Amino acid sequence: MCGIVGYIGSREVSSVLVDGLKRLEYRGYDSCGVAIIDEEAPTIVRSVGRIGGLEEKIKETNPTNGSVKCGIGHTRWATHGRPSEGNSHPHRDCTGRFFVAHNGIIENYLQLKRRLIADGHKFASATDTEVLPHLIESYYDGDLQAAVRQALRDVEGVYGIVVVSSEDGGRKIVAARNGPPLVVGIGSGENFIASDVPALLPYTRDMVFLKDGELAVVGSDSVQFTDFDGRCTCRPPETITWTAEMAEKEGYAYFMQKEIYEQPRAIRDTLIGRLGANNTITLDADLGDMEALSSVDRLHIVAMGTSLHAGLVGKFLIESLARIPVDVDNASEFRYRDPIIGPNDLVVGISQSGETADTLAAMKEAREKGARLLSICNVVGSQAARQSDAVLYTHAGPEIGVASTKAFTTQLIALYLLALQLAQSRGSLPADEIARHVRQLREIPDQINTILEQGNDMAVLAERFRNSKNFLYLGRGVNYPIAMEGALKLKEISYIHAEGYTAGEMKHGPIALIDAEMPVVVLVPQDTVYRKTMGNIEEVKVRDGIVIAVATVGDKEVSEKADHTIYIPCADPLVNPILATIPLQLFAYHVALLRGCDVDKPRNLAKSVTVE
Ligand code: AGP
């Protein structure tokens, strides 16, 4: 997620902006910039890489701080357009009078850009954001906030923006929110704006959190709050008692906990711009040549760890919906196996970081054998993205916790979208079936919210099993990879040994492990293999095993057999894996917490394994 700061007052503006951006670094970024308005010419300074580089460039330009009144700053987490100085914010219009920093995604930016170019506007970047200063300039007739309101009426998508203009001689900053947060810090003879509380704490604790559909006109001595129609929404500030560290985690105890609870938003952002109005799939902006997709004979998915588990779910999704054969390989195995790649094969590299050495090497091996490459990645401009023919980005935002959570569920969403796009391009599913799946996709964020409300139940369950020495996780079919993912979550942050197995394997070995000391998590949602999995629960129970079942809400039969039952909403079998993951993440988190483990930085692990 990008970081935004704004300041208006008598301090040295560039220092306040740089300090604020540094306090937002935890949000992750690949470039940064400031726009500073003084009575002479406005100054814009942008830089790829760390804020230190920006600081040096600001010193070189030495903006006249004496008379400077206001400025805005931005750290960019790229979503559209690679990390580069030209793509970094703030962006300006072609007259150089309007400057905008933006956090979010503008869904209809291509249509707006085409309209503005036809009207004579010249664009300098590949970003969605750049349409904003041009739109504002096209509506400006002396009233900045009116021009911003008018411009936002044309925009579809989610945004938190700050706008300054040389037309105002640095007398005001206009901010507007529809999605990504913005908070106004109230000072004395000065005022502040930021994406997040940590940037403001050194200056003020009196804050007003902008609501969706709200606009703020921030002067040095006054702030006006209105809705997008200009109706006053003024209210007194809140006094924030958080420490800076608490604020970075937005009050959560760990980044992992925050990222578990961010999943509804992350999934909504990953769906933005990819679902057509009539419930079709629209990945052409991501994947380019749809024709090429319709000629794919086989897919090979390569990944490691949690991303590999996503790939295993992807196999079920793609084979079920698009009827194309899919091989899934541990990338470290694929790269040394001299794999057989056909001329019409597509290799899909799945990687949150886009920097995993084994996955990159597997993709390189595939390329050398003539395959087309698609990556599913969370970091724009990462190596995996750069070496692919096309990228289907997850828009999960930076994932700080080593244990992958929101990246995983957004990978599943991306694979679901890919499977439907392949089905749509090849005609392997009728349009009404595709529409049904699209409607299901739209429901997932709310279904996950329902599960997250059970968070405390998982804490209670974790208390019961905090001292267990071993765990078994069982699942069948599309839920088998979730059994593996649940086991990985538990082992990597609580250090309890846990294994994920396909339930059908029980009689071939694992059943020897069952006794009163062996908790067994069983994924048993109502689907085509429900009866078979219920048989596995019987097997465990008759050997005094302990069963924790993840079942479909309302299923009484399971709760009569299992020792503990966790319910997920009733959903399509292909949606169940996404929903069933959530309680397993929460369970692992709470067990690790109770065991005093460092949830965000578990021992021996790195967030990105950039070496073999
Ligand atoms: C999962 O919780 C781990 N952090 C790890 O297995 C991770 O998924 C794996 O290292 C792959 O990372 P990537 O998605 O960045 O390629």
Side-chain angles (χ1 to χ4, degrees), residues 304-307 350-353 356 402-404 488-489 492 609:
M304 300 298 289
T306 285
S307 296
I350 304 177
S351 176
Q352 185 285 131
S353 62
T356 298
V402 165
S404 189
L488 174 59
K489 286 282 120 2
E492 70 175 323
V609 183

Side-chain angles (χ1 to χ4, degrees), residues 395-452:
H395 292 309
E399 188 175 67
I400 313 295
V402 165
S404 189
T405 51
K406 62 179 183 174
F408 177 66
T409 48
T410 51
Q411 285 168 350
L412 298 186
I413 294 293
L415 285 158
Y416 205 154
L417 289 167
L418 176 63
L420 288 169
Q421 181 68 73
L422 285 163
Q424 186 174 278
S425 306
R426 308 159 67 92
S428 59
L429 267 189
D432 60 335
E433 261 302 282
I434 290 178
R436 181 177 69 82
H437 283 282
V438 169
R439 285 192 293 274
Q440 287 177 170
L441 278 168
R442 294 183 199 276
E443 287 174 26
I444 292 172
D446 289 341
Q447 290 173 316
I448 289 179
N449 269 321
T450 304
I451 299 167
L452 290 172

